[in-house]
Amino acid sequence: MIKTILWDFDGVILDSMKIKGDGFAELFKKYEPKDIKKLEKYHYANGGVSRFEKIRYFFNSILEVSISEDNILQLSDDFATIIEKKLYDTSNLIEDSLIFIKKNYKKYDFHIVSGAENNELNDLCKYFEIEQYFLSINGSPTKKEILIKNILENYRYNIDETILIGDSINDYKAAHLNNLIFYGYNNPTLIDYNYISSFNELIL
């Protein structure tokens, strides 16, 4: 019997992948278009990876140069400024999942574990007035598998009674590292992973 649901945020509760993809293109507009395209491809293929890791990937793996942690943090702040106005748009909320959350938050323990930056994530949830549905809201730069591990330990949850819902293979990997059952959503490439076509049809 499932008692606890861990939720990814981007792509599951908020449809923000394109906003952030466009944000990376703007952030790195002074670089070669071919390199920006490579980052955009990586971004869309790695929904559960934080902006910190994507910025690091751009420099280390695409440009093949080093970058300091301070520079990563500064670029992350610049990125947040670029996407801020577009993120705070209620039309980007995913109604299908939100209806389920509002209807069932007293039936299950809900937590958010996201690759989104932690402070921004909490601010968004407050702005959208959905923070009351979750026992905790957790974001990056802490890696998702660690966020999950901490919740399991701090709340003493039984892994057999806990699932993670996400929209990327990286969410699956984070769940798998913690021996959790994974449910895919909003990404047809995850069809083999307990796929949720609509929360109206979800039976746990």
Side-chain angles (χ1 to χ4, degrees), residues 31 34-35 38 55-67:
Y31 292 91
K34 64 180 179 62
D35 293 326
K38 290 177 183 177
I55 291 168
R56 183 179 291 109
Y57 178 87
F58 180 70
F59 285 93
N60 292 170
S61 300
I62 296 176
L63 301 181
E64 297 183 343
V65 297
S66 61
I67 181 172

Side-chain angles (χ1 to χ4, degrees), residues 8 13 34 36 40 52 56 59 73 81 90-91 124 132 153 163 168-169 189 194 199:
D8 178 38
I13 296 173
K34 64 180 179 62
I36 296 172
E40 288 180 310
F52 305 95
R56 183 179 291 109
F59 285 93
L73 292 174
T81 300
T90 55
S91 68
L124 278 168
Q132 67 268 29
E153 290 179 351
I163 65 170
S168 78
I169 194 65
T189 66
N194 301 305
F199 280 97

Side-chain angles (χ1 to χ4, degrees), residues 129-166:
E129 298 182 345
I130 61 173
E131 79 275 13
Q132 67 268 29
Y133 303 123
F134 303 94
L135 295 179
S136 71
I137 298 170
N138 313 273
S140 65
T142 304
K143 290 182 180 294
K144 186 168 294 189
E145 59 265 29
I146 303 301
L147 296 175
I148 294 170
K149 179 176 179 289
N150 291 342
I151 289 173
L152 293 173
E153 290 179 351
N154 293 339
Y155 289 84
R156 298 182 180 179
Y157 287 139
N158 185 332
I159 59 173
D160 294 327
E161 299 172 344
T162 306
I163 65 170
L164 170 69
I165 299 175

Side-chain angles (χ1 to χ4, degrees), residues 1-203:
M1 180 179 179
I2 300 303
K3 296 181 179 179
T4 302
I5 300 177
L6 309 184
W7 296 82
D8 178 38
F9 188 72
D10 292 324
V12 176
I13 296 173
L14 186 71
D15 190 6
S16 56
M17 286 296 287
K18 187 177 188 304
I19 292 171
K20 294 186 176 182
D22 292 345
F24 282 119
E26 175 67 18
L27 180 67
F28 295 121
K29 62 183 179 182
K30 70 177 183 180
Y31 292 91
E32 291 290 334
K34 64 180 179 62
D35 293 326
I36 296 172
K37 288 291 184 185
K38 290 177 183 177
L39 178 61
E40 288 180 310
K41 182 178 180 181
Y42 180 78
H43 165 68
Y44 285 110
N46 291 276
V49 174
S50 75
R51 68 189 59 174
F52 305 95
E53 292 299 320
K54 289 174 180 176
I55 291 168
R56 183 179 291 109
Y57 178 87
F58 180 70
F59 285 93
N60 292 170
S61 300
I62 296 176
L63 301 181
E64 297 183 343
V65 297
S66 61
I67 181 172
S68 70
E69 291 303 310
D70 285 344
N71 283 342
I72 289 174
L73 292 174
Q74 181 58 58
L75 285 167
S76 176
D77 288 343
D78 295 343
F79 177 79
T81 300
I82 290 169
I83 67 172
E84 182 176 14
K85 289 183 179 179
K86 292 181 180 179
L87 275 184
Y88 288 83
D89 182 347
T90 55
S91 68
N92 291 317
L93 288 168
I94 299 173
E95 185 177 13
D96 180 48
S97 54
L98 273 180
I99 290 172
F100 178 88
I101 288 166
K102 292 176 180 179
K103 184 178 179 180
N104 292 284
Y105 76 98
K106 292 182 178 178
K107 182 178 179 181
Y108 304 99
D109 283 0
F110 287 161
H111 298 264
I112 291 178
V113 287
S114 173
E117 195 277 327
N118 187 66
N119 293 333
E120 179 181 275
L121 174 65
N122 278 268
D123 287 346
L124 278 168
C125 290
K126 288 177 183 176
Y127 178 82
F128 292 135
E129 298 182 345
I130 61 173
E131 79 275 13
Q132 67 268 29
Y133 303 123
F134 303 94
L135 295 179
S136 71
I137 298 170
N138 313 273
S140 65
T142 304
K143 290 182 180 294
K144 186 168 294 189
E145 59 265 29
I146 303 301
L147 296 175
I148 294 170
K149 179 176 179 289
N150 291 342
I151 289 173
L152 293 173
E153 290 179 351
N154 293 339
Y155 289 84
R156 298 182 180 179
Y157 287 139
N158 185 332
I159 59 173
D160 294 327
E161 299 172 344
T162 306
I163 65 170
L164 170 69
I165 299 175
D167 73 325
S168 78
I169 194 65
N170 293 291
D171 295 323
Y172 164 75
K173 290 175 181 176
H176 183 69
L177 286 170
N178 286 279
N179 298 308
L180 290 187
I181 296 172
F182 173 74
Y183 279 69
Y185 179 68
N186 201 22
N187 183 347
T189 66
L190 301 175
I191 195 71
D192 294 330
Y193 299 94
N194 301 305
Y195 194 69
I196 302 169
S197 296
S198 168
F199 280 97
N200 285 329
E201 304 167 1
L202 179 61
I203 299 174

